[in-house]
Amino acid sequence: MNFLELLNRTGLIGAHRGARYIAPENTMRSLKVSVGFCDFIEIDVQLSSDGTLIVIHDDTLERTTNVAEIDEFKSRKPYKVSDFSFKELSSLDYGSWFDGHVEPLLTLSETLQFIKENALFLNIEIKDMHTFFSDGQVVSAVLKEIQDWQVQNKVLISSFRHEYLSLCKERLPDVPTAALVQEKHTENLLEYLKTLKVDACNMSNELADKENVSNMRKAGYGVNVYTVNEKTRAKELFEMGVNGIFTDNLDLFSNIKI
Ligand code: G3P
Ligand code: CA
């Protein structure tokens, strides 16, 4: 089964940034904890200054690393991810901010190896990096990793920067894509999605109502909703026909044990 076939189902639970209420987000620990308790995992990727794809959400390092405590980086505020080389990023701790346990940097490559070895589905969200890197450079880097690991049938690529999605489709049409949309969206969303040639729409919880969801589903788009941390809301969404939800709180939807 590939990710598109998975999106024919409903009731799917996506581990948002891994099991981020249980382990530090976007780390190998947060991926490992999710296994067996979700239908797919979601991660965020960005490029280091020298072109390695790393797994991290914010465009700065302060919230989820120990960068501010390292003397040699004191002058590098606001600690933009795109200003740091892979070697520098590798020297940081990505876990102590969460629960005091050191956790190394996670790369996209390591993530793809992990999902391949464990037969998992992965939603790769490409963060908007257009101020630092060309769209072509970003998309080439992501697609190269997917091809290198031969995981075309295990991934869904999403982004708020929709230019990336059109480029992905042009270059690797077999890999499914999802447009991330939030409150402010184009008047005619369906027509717009068609122009992007995406397969799915990952929409914000605020945007997901009966009409929007039913229109998308009828037009053949997969619909996933972020971020849903309440069981009653998840039930409501699935009844509308939503395929999957992203949750921070895997605990709510399974008997996860750590
Ligand atoms: O992909 C869904 C969701 O992750 C988008 O928002 O800010 O949590 O990356 P964010
Ligand atoms: Ca994300």
Side-chain angles (χ1 to χ4, degrees), residues 139-151:
V139 166
S140 298
V142 174
L143 297 184
K144 183 179 182 308
E145 299 272 12
I146 291 171
Q147 285 178 303
D148 284 353
W149 285 105
Q150 288 291 297
V151 285

Side-chain angles (χ1 to χ4, degrees), residues 134-183:
S134 73
D135 292 348
Q137 192 179 357
V138 171
V139 166
S140 298
V142 174
L143 297 184
K144 183 179 182 308
E145 299 272 12
I146 291 171
Q147 285 178 303
D148 284 353
W149 285 105
Q150 288 291 297
V151 285
Q152 288 89 331
N153 60 347
K154 287 290 170 191
V155 298
L156 171 71
I157 298 178
S158 64
S159 187
F160 283 109
R161 181 156 178 84
H162 299 154
E163 287 85 344
Y164 294 155
L165 304 174
S166 307
L167 261 184
C168 284
K169 258 308 167 210
E170 213 174 283
R171 297 188 184 178
L172 212 54
D174 288 347
V175 174
T177 54
L180 271 162
V181 290
Q182 49 195 345
E183 300 93 294

